[in-house]
Amino acid sequence: QVQLVESGGGLVQPGGSLRLSCAASRSIFSMGWYRQAPGKERELVARISFGGTNYADSVKGRFTISRDNTKNTVYLQMNSLKPEDTAVYYCWGYSNSVAYWGQGTQVTVSS
């Protein structure tokens, strides 16, 4: 079993930046972030594994995912935030054919 603990959400103005963090209770092969806006399905934001990274088209060039393997932690640096980025952001982990989810952290982009 893996526990994922997120931090870093909040309220930010359009054009601003936030950094999300997610710490795993142990080493995990793939980690990433999904988000879910009200009335919409959960969608991939970005993922990182030992093979590389991938991003949703809507965040390319604005968001950067990274990981610190010594801390079993993944980060999501979000720049040039837009109101449409408002959502609950969920940390995701995948290892040995099992997916794990964090509890979610709210990101609100509004003036």
Side-chain angles (χ1 to χ4, degrees):
Q1 190 71 8
V2 177
Q3 285 75 46
L4 302 175
V5 179
E6 302 130 332
S7 61
L11 172 64
V12 63
Q13 292 186 344
S17 298
L18 280 176
R19 189 175 84 150
L20 305 182
S21 301
C22 174
S25 56
R26 64 167 176 82
S27 178
I28 192 164
F29 183 74
S30 295
M31 297 186 74
W33 295 91
Y34 284 70
R35 67 186 181 188
Q36 188 166 19
K40 295 187 176 182
E41 293 188 353
R42 193 173 295 188
E43 63 175 3
L44 170 69
V45 177
R47 291 187 298 198
I48 186 168
S49 70
F50 297 106
T53 60
N54 63 295
Y55 295 90
D57 288 343
S58 59
V59 307
K60 284 181 180 177
R62 300 188 298 122
F63 291 10
T64 302
I65 190 169
S66 61
R67 67 190 293 171
D68 184 340
N69 293 323
T70 64
K71 298 179 180 179
N72 297 330
T73 299
V74 65
Y75 305 96
L76 185 68
Q77 178 66 44
M78 304 185 293
N79 299 327
S80 302
L81 282 160
K82 304 176 181 180
E84 50 264 44
D85 294 317
T86 295
V88 178
Y89 284 68
Y90 295 92
C91 182
W92 167 88
Y94 187 82
S95 186
N96 296 326
S97 301
V98 178
Y100 303 93
W101 295 95
Q103 78 283 1
T105 184
Q106 177 70 45
V107 172
T108 302
V109 185
S110 175
S111 56

